[in-house]
Amino acid sequence: MKSISNNFKNVTKYLNEKTLSTGILATIFGCTGPALIIIGGARDAGLTTEQMISWLFAVYFFGSLIGIYMALKYKQPIVGAYSIPGAVLVAAGLQSYSLNEISGAYLAAGIIVLILGLSGLIGKIMNWIPVPIVMAMIVGAMIKFGTDMIVSIQGAPLIVGGAIVAYLLSSRLIPKLPPILIAFIIGCILAAFTGQFQVGEMQTGLALPQILMPVFNIEAIISVGIPLALLVIGAENAQSIGVLMAEGYKPPINAMTIISGIGGIVTSFFGGHNANIAGPMTAICASEESGDKEGRYVSVLVNGILFGIFGLVAGIAVSFVVVLPSVLIATVAGLAMVGVLVASLQTAFTGKKFQIGAFFSLIIAMSGISFFGVSSPFWALIGGVLVSLILENKDFNVESIGDENKQEELSQMGV
């Protein structure tokens, strides 16, 4: 608790335009497209408005608490939210099972993640996997944010092009101001000028979250619960860990897993699929856009407060966030990932070890494949390690793979 108190006291020291801007932008990213996935899934499953709002409350409010706690505890930009691919997975599952049964699957997933975190197994595995393979997975999983930004130019050249130009010029001419914030402001102005802000048809209001009792159904646990647990660990946590390592941090892997398990257990009683460490938002808050490395955790506090407010007033807030043009969100997200992608590429491919494994990790993650409901980041790590074990076995040092090899790679990032 002493570390939390000390880090809280230093918040005002690091609360500036950079931490504010990335915290706000991470919130905008997390409260737009991902929220619409939940809304769409709830509608397709025939959930009531109250059930949908309870789902949104659970993942955003408890996700915000996770982020605030982890940021203050470890002084690292670790964002709490929920698994976006997991929302897609469970939205499909709601077509086959009742809300209580699907919530039982959420509860089972949370218990699985918690047990794995308490066992320390995830930390040992992540410390054993070579850094280049992890970094290549990050590039493959996150590169879509960059490519989506470029693709968006086709649909809205003025908005996207103007935001990119604003980012580049402000980075060069006004380095004291966050270029990502300037890009967002210019994008909003251009979107308003071209009439791209569209008020959605969704009509919602303030509603209280509902508590429900999860029901265990073996089929639901197998088809939804277990894949969801693997997504949390193999996609969200793995991405977050890789991003933090790319930025020179030493992430608390087991603690991240444990808190994600607890989040999954709590949210299941509100119809929420999980509250866990979030990869894309962690990437935004951990980027150089957040300013000095030691103060980037404050951007998570900004994000956490806004996420918490969004969760509490989800029924009203959704009506406001959906008006933002999707192309603008894609552009801002792509620009926010520039630093992370460059650092990850450098770490993955500047050395001589594990290069073939890293390449396969990259292309598997980029492919977007999914087996058994588990998305490509997990399979990228598995595939990359297997390739290196077959073709680059000499690069593995059994006695010190989790120590010397890690230190050698991390030294390239200035740790």
Side-chain angles (χ1 to χ4, degrees):
M1 294 299 294
K2 185 177 180 180
S3 61
I4 293 178
S5 177
N6 290 336
N7 291 333
F8 182 77
K9 291 178 181 178
N10 289 326
V11 167
T12 54
K13 178 181 177 182
Y14 300 114
L15 184 63
N16 52 47
E17 66 277 5
K18 291 187 176 182
T19 50
L20 276 170
S21 64
T22 50
I24 292 172
L25 291 171
T27 303
I28 293 171
F29 173 84
C31 293
T32 49
L36 293 178
I37 292 174
I38 291 179
I39 293 169
R43 279 177 165 178
D44 293 341
L47 299 186
T48 65
T49 299
E50 290 75 17
Q51 290 170 332
M52 178 198 70
I53 291 174
S54 185
W55 184 355
L56 289 167
F57 161 79
V59 295
Y60 282 101
F61 181 75
F62 292 111
S64 74
L65 296 183
I66 288 175
I68 291 171
Y69 172 77
M70 295 298 285
L72 289 174
K73 175 67 175 178
Y74 297 100
K75 202 177 180 182
Q76 295 188 29
I78 305 172
V79 177
Y82 58 94
S83 171
I84 299 173
V88 177
L89 170 70
V90 302
L94 279 166
Q95 304 293 324
S96 304
Y97 306 101
S98 69
L99 182 58
N100 294 81
E101 289 174 330
I102 209 76
S103 295
Y106 303 160
L107 176 57
I111 293 172
I112 292 170
V113 174
L114 177 61
I115 291 173
L116 290 173
L118 291 172
S119 71
L121 181 61
I122 302 302
K124 292 176 182 178
I125 292 175
M126 290 303 298
N127 281 325
W128 178 78
I129 298 175
V131 172
I133 293 175
V134 177
M135 294 298 105
M137 177 273 289
I138 291 301
V139 176
M142 300 289 187
I143 197 68
K144 62 183 176 64
F145 292 102
T147 55
D148 286 349
M149 173 179 65
I150 302 303
V151 170
S152 297
I153 295 177
Q154 290 182 318
L158 182 60
I159 297 174
V160 179
I164 293 174
V165 170
Y167 175 86
L168 296 174
L169 291 180
S170 61
S171 298
R172 179 68 181 272
L173 302 177
I174 323 174
K176 291 185 178 181
L177 293 178
I180 192 73
L181 179 60
I182 294 176
F184 177 68
I185 293 173
I186 295 298
C188 285
I189 293 173
L190 292 173
F193 178 76
T194 55
Q196 293 297 309
F197 284 101
Q198 300 292 330
V199 178
E201 299 179 355
M202 176 113 183
Q203 298 295 325
T204 57
L206 188 63
L208 296 175
Q210 295 185 334
I211 298 178
L212 55 81
M213 186 57 62
V215 173
F216 288 115
N217 178 301
I218 297 300
E219 291 183 0
I221 292 173
I222 294 174
S223 61
V224 176
I226 294 176
L228 179 59
L230 292 176
L231 273 175
V232 170
I233 295 171
E236 299 297 335
N237 277 25
Q239 288 182 37
S240 300
I241 291 164
V243 163
L244 292 168
M245 290 169 60
E247 292 298 324
Y249 295 97
K250 295 181 179 179
I253 299 173
N254 288 328
M256 291 168 68
T257 308
I258 291 170
I259 200 75
S260 295
I262 295 173
I265 293 172
V266 174
T267 55
S268 69
F269 290 93
F270 295 88
H273 66 285
N274 203 284
N276 51 262
I277 308 303
M281 281 75 87
T282 294
I284 294 174
C285 291
S287 69
E288 292 183 358
E289 304 294 341
S290 291
D292 295 337
K293 176 185 169 184
E294 61 180 6
R296 294 177 192 174
Y297 75 98
V298 175
S299 65
V300 178
L301 302 183
V302 174
N303 169 261
I305 291 172
L306 295 176
F307 266 0
I309 294 173
F310 182 87
L312 289 171
V313 295
I316 298 174
V318 166
S319 299
F320 292 95
V321 300
V322 296
V323 304
L324 290 172
S326 58
V327 291
L328 179 57
I329 300 302
T331 302
V332 171
L335 293 172
M337 298 297 172
V338 170
V340 171
L341 289 171
V342 170
S344 299
L345 276 168
Q346 290 174 339
T347 305
F349 296 109
T350 53
K352 296 181 179 180
K353 292 183 177 181
F354 306 105
Q355 294 300 280
I356 301 177
F359 175 75
F360 272 87
S361 178
L362 171 67
I363 59 176
I364 293 172
M366 288 180 65
S367 71
I369 61 170
S370 176
F371 294 113
F372 309 110
V374 182
S375 56
S376 58
F378 175 81
W379 301 112
L381 295 177
I382 298 296
V385 169
L386 288 176
V387 169
S388 286
L389 284 171
I390 295 170
L391 299 179
E392 301 171 309
N393 189 262
K394 63 182 184 301
D395 291 342
F396 285 89
N397 183 335
V398 177
E399 294 181 355
S400 58
I401 188 67
D403 186 8
E404 294 180 3
N405 178 59
K406 274 290 193 255
Q407 188 60 40
E408 176 185 348
E409 300 294 343
L410 289 173
S411 66
Q412 297 178 15
M413 299 183 288
V415 178

